[in-house]
Amino acid sequence: MDSKKRNSTEAEGSKERGLVHVWQAGSCLVTPERLPGWGGKTVLQAALGVKHGVLLTEDGEVYSFGTLPWRSEPAEICLSSPILENALVGQYVVTVAAGSFHNGAVTESGVVYMWGENSAGQCAVANQQYVPEPNPVSISDSETSPLLAVRILQLACGEEHTLALSISREIWAWGTGCQLGLITTTFPVTKPQKVEHLAGRVVLQVACGAFHSLALVQCLPSQDLKPVPERCNQCSQLLITMTDKEDHVIISDSHCCPLGVTLSESQAENQASTAISPSTETLDSQGEVFENTLVQNELPVATELNVGNVQTTSSPQDVMGTAEISSARNIPSYPDTQAVNEYVQKLSDHLIRENSENGEKPVPSQPLIEEAIPNLHSPPTTSTSALNSLVVSCASAVGVRVAATYEAGALSLKKVMNFYSTVPCEPGAQAGSGPIGPEGLKDSREEQVKQESMQGKKSSSLVDIREEESEGGSRRLSLPGLLSQVSPRLLRKAARVKTRTVVLTPTYSGEADALLPSLRTEVWTWGKGKEGQLGHGDVLPRLQPLCVKCLDGKEVIHLEAGGYHSLALTAKSQVYSWGSNTFGQLGHSDFPTTVPRLAKINSEHGVWSIAAGLDYSLFLVDTEDFQPGLYYSGRQDPTEGDSLAENHSGTKAPVLLSCSKLGYISRVAAGKDSYLALVDKNIMGYIASLHELATTERRFYSKLSDIKSQILRPLLSLENLGTASTVQLLQEVASRFSKLCYLIGQHGTSLGIFLHGIKEARSLVILKHASLFLDSYTEYCTSMTNFLVMGGFQLLAKPAIDFLNKNQELLQDLADVNDENTQLMEILNTLFFLPIRRLHNYAKVLLKLATCFEVTSPEYQKLQDSSSCYESLALHLGRKRKEAEYTLGFWKTFPGKMTDSLRKPERRLLCESSNRALSLQHAGRFSVNWFILFNDALVHAQFSTHHVFPLATLWAEPLSEEAGGVNGLKITTPEEQFTLISSTPQEKTKWLRAISQAVDQALRGMSDLPPYGSGSNIQRQEPPISRSAKYTFYKDPRLKDATYDGRWLSGKPHGRGVLKWPDGKMYSGMFRNGLEDGYGEYRIPNKALNKEDHYVGHWKEGKMCGQGVFSYASGEVFEGCFQDNMRHGHGLLRSGKLTSSSPSMFIGQWVMDKKAGYGVFDDITRGEKYMGMWQDDVCQGNGVVVTQFGLYYEGNFQLNKMMGNGVLLSEDDTIYEGEFSDDWTLSGKGTLTMPNGDYIEGYFSGEWGSGIKITGTYFKPSLYESDKDRPKVLKLGNLAVPADEKWKAVFDECWHQLGCENPGQGEVWKAWDNIAVALTTNRRQHRDSPEILSRSQTQTLESLEFIPQHVGAFSVEKYDDIRKYLIKACDTPLHPLGRLVETLVAVYRMTYVGVGANRRLLQEAVKEIKSYLKRIFQLVRFLFPELPEEGSTIPLSAPLPTERKSFCTAKSDSRSESPEPGYVVTGSGLLLPVLLPRLYPPLFMLYALENDREEDVYWECVLRLNKQPDIALLGFLGVQRKFWPVTLSILGESKKVLPTTKDACFASAVECLQQISTTFTPSDKLKVIQQTFEEISQSVLASLQEDFLWSMDDLFPVFLYVVLRARIRNLGSEVHLIEDLMDPYLQHGEQGIMFTTLKACYYQIQREKLN
C-alpha cells in the first residue's frame, strides 16, 4: 500500500468507495451488475424514479440515467449511461431526490433545483409540461419582513408532489393533490407553500410515496402539553378509553380520528400534543357518573360474568361461546351483528334523549360509508357518562361474546365497540388484493375479528394499544380488574384509583439532543389512504397531517415511502410497515395492513437502513461479521416458464440477496423495476471497523432497551420494593441507566447516518464529543456502585427478589452468562456493569481505525488519544467497581450500629487498621483505637464511640525521625491534633500515602475520573496545605456549632471565608490563623427588635479594628475607627432618622467606646450644636454651643451642663459674661452688655429668656467721656477649644497609617511603604466590590505609584512635582492624605453647616482652616524632607520672564519691596488649592452672614450709582477727562461714546473683575484683581497712544468705576476672605497694593452719597 493512499480517509482507496450496483426488481436470484457507462466517481447518494435515476457524487455533481423524456435532445431521452446535469455544475449539491418522473437537488447554500415532468406542477413551474434542465425554485416566507429566502435541508418527491424541509424545520410543499397537506383547493400549487399544520413543530425528515406523505416530527417537550379534551373534535369518539389487559383495565389515550379532514389550528394542537394520563380527580368523577347512569337508565347489568367454560367456535357467523350468566333478569342474546347494532342504536337513542333532558344538544349520528354496510352508524356525540354506561351495557349485553374474546386474550373493549358501531373500512376495496381472497367479500370485518381472536396476543385492532405498550408508549393508569365482574360497587372502588409513578422515561439531556438525532419522535401522515398507507387504521384520505398514534414511543428514526406502502425504521433496529401488501412488500402477512406492524425479517440481527420501491421493500441488515446483508421483500416476476402475466406473486417473507462478495453496502435506493446499492470496498479494514462500531452500538442499544423494559420497568412497578432509601438508589440507577440507554440509541442512529455519508473519521461523534459519552458512563457507574455499596439488589424486598429469581434465565441471557451455577446476584452485577465492557470495545475499534492512518497524521493522533481515553475510563470504572465490592465486604464483615451510621452510598473504604498496624500515641493500656480511612473521612473508633474527621479539613505530615525515632504521623484537624504510630516505616509510608491521596481526592471533589486526554495523569505527591473546604466546629467554645466555608491553611481558617453560627450570627470576609483578620462583614441578629446589627470594615486578630461602619439594630449608625471591638479613634455616630424621637449626630474622638476629646454634637431636635471637649460620653471642658435661634455660648462645661465661666451672645448682640450653673442658666457674678453699649455688673440668677434676677449696677458709658472707663470690646474664642486641639484623632490616625507613633517621629521609607500597601490593598478591595472604579480614578491610582524623587538642590520644578503629587493624592480616598482631606472636609462641613452657620463662628472657622494647613504641611514635610520650611524661598532656575513695567512706580525692578525673586514656600500656597475649594461653601456662607449689614449698605449704593450712564458716572467719580474712552469697538466696529451710552466703557476690565466670584483661593482671587488692573491700563493706553505711568490718584477713580460696574454682590465677603487667608508675604508686593486698592473701593462705595 503506497503512502499516498494511506494519507487520509479520502485518499485511502477513493476509487473503492460508493460503487454502484444495480438489480432488477422481482428476481431475487440475479446477481447485480455495475451501472453501465459509469466511470467510478464515488457516489454519495442515489435516487430512482419509475424509469430513471439520479446520482450524487462526493464532489457535489449530479448525473442522470435511464429514460429522460423531458430532455430536449432526442438522442438523450433514453440513456443507458449516466450524463452530467450541466446546469448544476459549479453548484455544490448536497442531496438529491427522485419522484416517479421528476427530480430535485439541494445545494450547499440551501437552494432547491427541480427538473423533469411538471404536468402537476411538481417542479414548481406554472403551465409547463416538462422542465428540461435543473431550475432553481424560489421559496420565501411571507411571514417575515423583509421576505427572506428559505434555506432547504432535504427534499422528497412523489408522483405529483414535492416536499421540502427547511433549515428551520418546517415543510414546504408544491404540486397537486391532498398529499400536499395545504389548506387549498386550487391545484396545481406551483409556488411553494408552508404546511401550516405542522408549523411550530420540529420536523426531522419527510418522505413521499406515490400519493401520500410522511413526516418524522420531534415530540413536544413534556412541559408544553395542553390539557387534553375529552372527545375527538371530528368523530366525537372519546379520546381516552378503557381497555382490559389481563387482570386490570388500562386507560388509554391512543385514539386516532378516522376523519383527518381539515382541522382548525387549535384542534390540530390538541391532537398533536401527547396526551397526559388523566389525573385521579377526573377518574373519581367518572366513577360517580358510572353509578348514576347505571341507576338512571336501569340497563341490565351483569353482576358476574363467570368465564369458566368458554370455547371459541370458528364459524364467521357465530362468534359465540357459551357462558353461565347468573343474573336476576335474562339478558337477550343477539345472534348476529345486525341485532347488536340495533341494540346499540336503541341504547344510544336512549342516551341522546337523556342528554337532551340534561340540556345538552346532541349531534345526530352521521352514517359512515353507508354504501358498504348500510345499517351501521357511528356512536352519537354523548357525554362521558353516556359512553361509560354504554361500555358497561355493552359488556352485559354482549356478555358471552365478550367473555369468549377475552378468554382468547385478544380483544380490547374499545375494539368490541368499534366492531359493533363503526366500520371505517371498505371491504370491497380489499376484495381482490388481500390474502382473504374472494371469500373476503363476506363480512370481512367479522372475519377479521375472528382472526384476531384466534391469533390471541399477537393481534392488534385498528387503534388499540399494541402489546408493546409496556414500553411506555402510551401513558396509562391501571384499574383493578373492571370487567371480570362489572358491578357498581367495583366501579365505585375503581373511582379511587391508586396511581404509581414509574421512572424510566428517558430524561431530556439538552446537550445530547442538540448534537445527536432525537429518538423522541412521532410519525405524521397525510394524502391518499386507499391502501391503508397512512397507518390510521382506515382507508380514508387525509387532507392534513395526522399523527400515527401507535408509533408514539417507538423511537422511529427514519421513514421511507414506497408506491402505496410506508416503512418506519426504529432505533431498536426494527421496521414497522403498513399500506399495500399485495406482494408481501410489508415483510409480514399480518392483517390488517392499515396500521403499522413489525416486519418479520428472517435474521435475528437488526435492520439499520431501508428503502421502499413501487411494490417492494429493501432491508439492510447487520450480520455476524458486520458486513451488511440485503433483504428483499415484494414483487416476484414469473420465471421464464410462466406465461401468464397476472401470476405476479410476492415474497412470502423477506429474502436475503447474495451480495457478500460485493463489499460493504452503505446505502440502498429503490425505484420501480430496479434498485441499486452503493458499496464500499474494505481497504485496510477501515470500512469494516466503522461497520463494526455501528453494529455493536445498535446491538448494545437493543440489549440496554431489553434490560430496561424486561427487568427495570417491571421491577420498579412492583408495589413493595424495599425501604425508601433503597428505592431511591434503585431509581437513581434506573434513571441514569435510562439516560445512558437513550444516548446509546441516539449514537447508534447517528452512526447509521454517518455510514450514509462520506465517512470521515474525524467527524465521528464519539471523537468530537467524547465528554458526552464519558460523563454518561461515569454517572451511570457511579450510581450503580453507590447502589452496590449499600447492598445492591439484595436490599430489595421479597416480591422484587422473587421476580428476579423467576426471570433468572432471561437475566442469564441478557448478561451473556453461560455457567448454570452462577448466583443470581453475580448475574445481576455482571448485567448492570455491562457498560464498562462496552467502553473497552470503543477503545478497541478506535484503535483499529487508527491503524488505517499514517502515524504522523492528525487523524491517527486523535483516534489514538480517544482510544486511550475510553480505555482508561473503562479501567477506572472497573477499579471503582472493585472498590465498591471491597467496601461492601467491609460492611458485611463488621455489621453493627456504628458501621450502619457510617454507611453511605458515596462512601468507599480505602484502608483500616484492624490488624493493629496503627495506634494512637500516648493511648491508655486498655483503650482500643481503630482507624478507618474512607474516601471522604478518617474515622477514629473507640469502644462505643467514634469520631469522623472529614478529609477536606485534615492535614497529615510525617514526624521527623529525631522526634524519638517513632514511625509517627501527625494529623491536624481544625480542633484536634494527634499523632498516629505505625508498626513499621513501610506501614507509615503506606498510611501517609493513602491519607494524602484520599485528601487530595476529597479536595478535587467527585471528579476522580482519569482526566480526558493523556497528559495530566500525574498525581500530586501531597495535597496542598492551603485549600478551600467547609467545616462545622463541635467543641471550640467560641465557634461551637458554627460552620465555616472558605480557605484554610494547616488546620486554621486563613483567607476569604464565611462563618455562620446557629443563632444567625454571620461573618464573611478575611481570616488569618483561624481569626477574623482583614476586611469583613459581620451580622448579629437582634431578637428583641427583629433586626440585625451589621458591621462592615476591618478586623484584627478576631476583633473589629480599623475603619468600619456599624449599623445598630436600634437604627444608630457609627462610621469610624474601632479597636478591640470598641469604638476608638475618630468616628461619626448618627442616631435615629430625622423623623424619629431623638435624631442627633456626633462626630469626633472616641476612646474605649466612649466620646472623649474634641467632638461636635448636633442635637437636631433641640436645634443646638455643641463643639467642644468630651470625657466619658459627656461634655466636659471648654466648648461652644450655637442654637438655631442665634444664641451663642462659649465657656466651661461639666457633666453635659454649662458650668463655670462663660460668654453668651444673643442674636441682637446682647452679651453676658459671667458664671453659669446649668444650661442657659445664669448664676453668680457677671456683666450684661446691651447692643447700645449700656451694661450692668452684678449678681445674676435665672434662665436666659425667662426673666433674670439681677443685683447690680447699671452703667451708661456715654456719660463717661474718659476712655479708661469705656468697656473693652469683647474678643470671642478665648473660652473655645484652640484650633490646634481640634480633630487631633484624625491627624493621629493619618500619622499611624504612615507608621509613626507620634507626629513627625518615624522612618520616611517606612511611610512610603505603608502608602504603597494602603493603595494596593484598597484597590484589591475595590476590585471585589460592586462599584467599579472609574477610569480617571484608576489613572490617578496608577500615577500615584510614581513617587517624586529628589537629588541635588531643590528647585521650582521639584516643588511643582510635589504639588502635582499632592493634588492627585488628595483626590483619592485610597491614599492616606486623600483620606485625611476627605475626613477633614466632612468634619468641617458637619461643624459649620446647619445650626453651625452662625456668624459668630467665622473666626473659629478661619482659625480651623489655618490649623489644618499647618498640620497637613507638617505631614508633607515629613514625606518630602527636602521641602524647605514655611516661608523660605526657592531660587528660580531660569531668569524671570521679560520684565513688566510696574504700575505705580517708575522703577523697572518689578518687585521692589517683595523678597528676593523666587518662589516662597508656604503651607497655604501648597495646600489651599487642594483644601479650600472643598471647604468653600460653608466658609463663604459664614463670611456672608458676618458682613451682611455692611454689604447691604454697599449694595444699595451700587444699585443707585449704576443707574447713571457711563459718562455721567465717570464724571461723578472724578475720573480725569483724558482717561474717558471716546470711541469703543463693539463687535469689531468703532462707535462713539454718547452721553446715553451705558455699561460699555472698560467693559473688558469689568468682565474680568466679575470672575472673582468663581475662584476659591486668595491667590487666585488676587490674580483676578491683577488682571483687572492690566485690562484697565490696556484700554487707557489704547486711547492715549503714549507710554504712560499710573499714579494712585489717577488709578483709583477708574478702578472704582470698574468695581461699581462689576456689581459683585458679596464683595465684602470676598475682601475679608482674601484678607484673612492670603499669604502674609504678598501684603507688601504688587498684588498686596492692588488688593488694598480694591478694599478702599469697597469702603468708599459705602460712603458715597449722591446728591
Side-chain angles (χ1 to χ4, degrees), residues 546-571:
L546 181 66
C547 186
V548 181
K549 273 287 183 203
C550 54
L551 286 174
D552 279 5
K554 293 285 183 283
E555 301 188 342
V556 175
I557 55 171
H558 186 74
L559 298 172
E560 282 286 335
Y564 301 96
H565 67 290
S566 310
L567 305 177
L569 175 65
T570 70

mmCIF file of all heavy atoms in Angstrom, residues 546-571:
data_model
loop_
_atom_site.group_PDB
_atom_site.id
_atom_site.type_symbol
_atom_site.label_atom_id
_atom_site.label_comp_id
_atom_site.label_asym_id
_atom_site.label_seq_id
_atom_site.Cartn_x
_atom_site.Cartn_y
_atom_site.Cartn_z
ATOM 1 N N LEU A 546 -51.688 14.037 10.169
ATOM 2 C CA LEU A 546 -52.305 13.486 11.376
ATOM 3 C C LEU A 546 -51.290 12.516 11.984
ATOM 4 O O LEU A 546 -50.592 11.817 11.267
ATOM 5 C CB LEU A 546 -53.596 12.753 11.007
ATOM 6 C CG LEU A 546 -54.361 12.139 12.174
ATOM 7 C CD1 LEU A 546 -54.882 13.227 13.088
ATOM 8 C CD2 LEU A 546 -55.538 11.325 11.678
ATOM 9 N N CYS A 547 -51.235 12.519 13.301
ATOM 10 C CA CYS A 547 -50.224 11.711 13.981
ATOM 11 C C CYS A 547 -50.634 10.248 14.013
ATOM 12 O O CYS A 547 -51.776 9.923 14.332
ATOM 13 C CB CYS A 547 -50.068 12.246 15.400
ATOM 14 S SG CYS A 547 -48.753 11.461 16.271
ATOM 15 N N VAL A 548 -49.716 9.361 13.665
ATOM 16 C CA VAL A 548 -49.980 7.927 13.788
ATOM 17 C C VAL A 548 -49.654 7.567 15.236
ATOM 18 O O VAL A 548 -48.508 7.356 15.597
ATOM 19 C CB VAL A 548 -49.076 7.117 12.829
ATOM 20 C CG1 VAL A 548 -49.370 5.636 12.950
ATOM 21 C CG2 VAL A 548 -49.277 7.590 11.407
ATOM 22 N N LYS A 549 -50.731 7.493 16.044
ATOM 23 C CA LYS A 549 -50.525 7.410 17.492
ATOM 24 C C LYS A 549 -49.767 6.154 17.909
ATOM 25 O O LYS A 549 -49.010 6.174 18.856
ATOM 26 C CB LYS A 549 -51.872 7.426 18.219
ATOM 27 C CG LYS A 549 -52.368 8.825 18.493
ATOM 28 C CD LYS A 549 -51.543 9.446 19.591
ATOM 29 C CE LYS A 549 -52.063 10.828 19.926
ATOM 30 N NZ LYS A 549 -51.081 11.668 20.538
ATOM 31 N N CYS A 550 -50.024 5.034 17.198
ATOM 32 C CA CYS A 550 -49.461 3.804 17.744
ATOM 33 C C CYS A 550 -47.953 3.732 17.509
ATOM 34 O O CYS A 550 -47.307 2.808 17.963
ATOM 35 C CB CYS A 550 -50.176 2.575 17.221
ATOM 36 S SG CYS A 550 -50.215 2.567 15.464
ATOM 37 N N LEU A 551 -47.376 4.718 16.797
ATOM 38 C CA LEU A 551 -45.911 4.711 16.680
ATOM 39 C C LEU A 551 -45.275 5.635 17.720
ATOM 40 O O LEU A 551 -44.060 5.811 17.733
ATOM 41 C CB LEU A 551 -45.487 5.143 15.276
ATOM 42 C CG LEU A 551 -45.716 4.082 14.191
ATOM 43 C CD1 LEU A 551 -45.410 4.635 12.815
ATOM 44 C CD2 LEU A 551 -44.877 2.843 14.448
ATOM 45 N N ASP A 552 -46.096 6.254 18.580
ATOM 46 C CA ASP A 552 -45.523 7.094 19.641
ATOM 47 C C ASP A 552 -44.679 6.228 20.564
ATOM 48 O O ASP A 552 -45.093 5.128 20.937
ATOM 49 C CB ASP A 552 -46.648 7.718 20.485
ATOM 50 C CG ASP A 552 -47.218 8.939 19.783
ATOM 51 O OD1 ASP A 552 -46.782 9.163 18.643
ATOM 52 O OD2 ASP A 552 -48.074 9.605 20.357
ATOM 53 N N GLY A 553 -43.530 6.720 20.918
ATOM 54 C CA GLY A 553 -42.701 5.986 21.860
ATOM 55 C C GLY A 553 -41.975 4.821 21.225
ATOM 56 O O GLY A 553 -41.292 4.062 21.892
ATOM 57 N N LYS A 554 -42.121 4.659 19.910
ATOM 58 C CA LYS A 554 -41.420 3.546 19.255
ATOM 59 C C LYS A 554 -40.033 3.969 18.775
ATOM 60 O O LYS A 554 -39.331 3.199 18.160
ATOM 61 C CB LYS A 554 -42.235 3.051 18.050
ATOM 62 C CG LYS A 554 -43.552 2.409 18.441
ATOM 63 C CD LYS A 554 -43.341 1.029 19.017
ATOM 64 C CE LYS A 554 -44.642 0.341 19.338
ATOM 65 N NZ LYS A 554 -45.267 0.841 20.571
ATOM 66 N N GLU A 555 -39.683 5.231 19.008
ATOM 67 C CA GLU A 555 -38.358 5.733 18.631
ATOM 68 C C GLU A 555 -38.066 5.554 17.146
ATOM 69 O O GLU A 555 -37.028 5.022 16.760
ATOM 70 C CB GLU A 555 -37.259 5.050 19.481
ATOM 71 C CG GLU A 555 -37.447 5.288 20.959
ATOM 72 C CD GLU A 555 -36.289 4.796 21.810
ATOM 73 O OE1 GLU A 555 -35.505 3.971 21.319
ATOM 74 O OE2 GLU A 555 -36.191 5.237 22.950
ATOM 75 N N VAL A 556 -38.990 6.017 16.334
ATOM 76 C CA VAL A 556 -38.785 5.944 14.872
ATOM 77 C C VAL A 556 -37.682 6.930 14.502
ATOM 78 O O VAL A 556 -37.681 8.065 14.965
ATOM 79 C CB VAL A 556 -40.093 6.304 14.138
ATOM 80 C CG1 VAL A 556 -39.849 6.354 12.631
ATOM 81 C CG2 VAL A 556 -41.167 5.285 14.472
ATOM 82 N N ILE A 557 -36.746 6.477 13.664
ATOM 83 C CA ILE A 557 -35.639 7.374 13.310
ATOM 84 C C ILE A 557 -35.591 7.669 11.817
ATOM 85 O O ILE A 557 -34.913 8.585 11.399
ATOM 86 C CB ILE A 557 -34.286 6.777 13.749
ATOM 87 C CG1 ILE A 557 -34.113 5.377 13.168
ATOM 88 C CG2 ILE A 557 -34.158 6.756 15.244
ATOM 89 C CD1 ILE A 557 -32.740 4.799 13.364
ATOM 90 N N HIS A 558 -36.327 6.879 11.018
ATOM 91 C CA HIS A 558 -36.264 7.142 9.588
ATOM 92 C C HIS A 558 -37.535 6.610 8.924
ATOM 93 O O HIS A 558 -38.043 5.553 9.309
ATOM 94 C CB HIS A 558 -35.036 6.460 8.980
ATOM 95 C CG HIS A 558 -34.836 6.798 7.535
ATOM 96 N ND1 HIS A 558 -34.366 8.027 7.126
ATOM 97 C CD2 HIS A 558 -35.051 6.089 6.404
ATOM 98 C CE1 HIS A 558 -34.312 8.040 5.794
ATOM 99 N NE2 HIS A 558 -34.715 6.882 5.343
ATOM 100 N N LEU A 559 -38.037 7.340 7.947
ATOM 101 C CA LEU A 559 -39.250 6.915 7.235
ATOM 102 C C LEU A 559 -38.920 6.713 5.762
ATOM 103 O O LEU A 559 -38.113 7.438 5.195
ATOM 104 C CB LEU A 559 -40.331 7.999 7.341
ATOM 105 C CG LEU A 559 -40.820 8.335 8.753
ATOM 106 C CD1 LEU A 559 -41.734 9.533 8.704
ATOM 107 C CD2 LEU A 559 -41.551 7.147 9.343
ATOM 108 N N GLU A 560 -39.561 5.716 5.169
ATOM 109 C CA GLU A 560 -39.455 5.536 3.714
ATOM 110 C C GLU A 560 -40.857 5.289 3.192
ATOM 111 O O GLU A 560 -41.647 4.595 3.844
ATOM 112 C CB GLU A 560 -38.566 4.317 3.384
ATOM 113 C CG GLU A 560 -37.085 4.574 3.504
ATOM 114 C CD GLU A 560 -36.535 5.410 2.357
ATOM 115 O OE1 GLU A 560 -37.137 5.405 1.257
ATOM 116 O OE2 GLU A 560 -35.503 6.076 2.561
ATOM 117 N N ALA A 561 -41.174 5.848 2.037
ATOM 118 C CA ALA A 561 -42.496 5.615 1.455
ATOM 119 C C ALA A 561 -42.316 4.942 0.101
ATOM 120 O O ALA A 561 -41.551 5.417 -0.739
ATOM 121 C CB ALA A 561 -43.225 6.941 1.283
ATOM 122 N N GLY A 562 -42.982 3.800 -0.077
ATOM 123 C CA GLY A 562 -42.976 3.163 -1.392
ATOM 124 C C GLY A 562 -44.130 3.732 -2.202
ATOM 125 O O GLY A 562 -44.704 4.757 -1.850
ATOM 126 N N GLY A 563 -44.513 3.016 -3.290
ATOM 127 C CA GLY A 563 -45.638 3.500 -4.081
ATOM 128 C C GLY A 563 -46.867 3.651 -3.202
ATOM 129 O O GLY A 563 -47.437 4.732 -3.084
ATOM 130 N N TYR A 564 -47.288 2.525 -2.572
ATOM 131 C CA TYR A 564 -48.522 2.566 -1.781
ATOM 132 C C TYR A 564 -48.308 1.949 -0.409
ATOM 133 O O TYR A 564 -49.219 1.394 0.162
ATOM 134 C CB TYR A 564 -49.645 1.842 -2.534
ATOM 135 C CG TYR A 564 -49.872 2.486 -3.880
ATOM 136 C CD1 TYR A 564 -49.265 1.972 -5.032
ATOM 137 C CD2 TYR A 564 -50.639 3.632 -3.989
ATOM 138 C CE1 TYR A 564 -49.418 2.588 -6.257
ATOM 139 C CE2 TYR A 564 -50.798 4.260 -5.211
ATOM 140 C CZ TYR A 564 -50.189 3.737 -6.340
ATOM 141 O OH TYR A 564 -50.355 4.375 -7.534
ATOM 142 N N HIS A 565 -47.071 1.945 0.056
ATOM 143 C CA HIS A 565 -46.858 1.443 1.408
ATOM 144 C C HIS A 565 -45.804 2.303 2.096
ATOM 145 O O HIS A 565 -45.134 3.109 1.443
ATOM 146 C CB HIS A 565 -46.440 -0.034 1.395
ATOM 147 C CG HIS A 565 -45.088 -0.292 0.792
ATOM 148 N ND1 HIS A 565 -44.833 -0.156 -0.555
ATOM 149 C CD2 HIS A 565 -43.916 -0.692 1.352
ATOM 150 C CE1 HIS A 565 -43.573 -0.457 -0.795
ATOM 151 N NE2 HIS A 565 -42.978 -0.786 0.339
ATOM 152 N N SER A 566 -45.718 2.155 3.406
ATOM 153 C CA SER A 566 -44.810 3.007 4.179
ATOM 154 C C SER A 566 -43.992 2.148 5.137
ATOM 155 O O SER A 566 -44.491 1.138 5.640
ATOM 156 C CB SER A 566 -45.609 4.013 5.011
ATOM 157 O OG SER A 566 -46.552 4.663 4.205
ATOM 158 N N LEU A 567 -42.752 2.563 5.360
ATOM 159 C CA LEU A 567 -41.875 1.850 6.295
ATOM 160 C C LEU A 567 -41.329 2.847 7.320
ATOM 161 O O LEU A 567 -41.042 3.987 6.973
ATOM 162 C CB LEU A 567 -40.675 1.243 5.545
ATOM 163 C CG LEU A 567 -40.952 0.326 4.360
ATOM 164 C CD1 LEU A 567 -39.646 -0.105 3.717
ATOM 165 C CD2 LEU A 567 -41.738 -0.898 4.806
ATOM 166 N N ALA A 568 -41.216 2.372 8.542
ATOM 167 C CA ALA A 568 -40.612 3.221 9.577
ATOM 168 C C ALA A 568 -39.538 2.407 10.280
ATOM 169 O O ALA A 568 -39.805 1.318 10.775
ATOM 170 C CB ALA A 568 -41.673 3.660 10.580
ATOM 171 N N LEU A 569 -38.326 2.951 10.326
ATOM 172 C CA LEU A 569 -37.200 2.260 10.970
ATOM 173 C C LEU A 569 -37.041 2.824 12.382
ATOM 174 O O LEU A 569 -37.082 4.033 12.572
ATOM 175 C CB LEU A 569 -35.931 2.538 10.160
ATOM 176 C CG LEU A 569 -34.610 1.998 10.725
ATOM 177 C CD1 LEU A 569 -34.610 0.488 10.739
ATOM 178 C CD2 LEU A 569 -33.438 2.514 9.896
ATOM 179 N N THR A 570 -36.880 1.955 13.377
ATOM 180 C CA THR A 570 -36.743 2.453 14.743
ATOM 181 C C THR A 570 -35.306 2.329 15.223
ATOM 182 O O THR A 570 -34.496 1.627 14.606
ATOM 183 C CB THR A 570 -37.632 1.658 15.721
ATOM 184 O OG1 THR A 570 -37.066 0.347 15.847
ATOM 185 C CG2 THR A 570 -39.047 1.538 15.222
ATOM 186 N N ALA A 571 -35.048 3.003 16.337
ATOM 187 C CA ALA A 571 -33.693 2.969 16.891
ATOM 188 C C ALA A 571 -33.334 1.565 17.358
ATOM 189 O O ALA A 571 -32.166 1.220 17.479
ATOM 190 C CB ALA A 571 -33.591 3.944 18.056
#
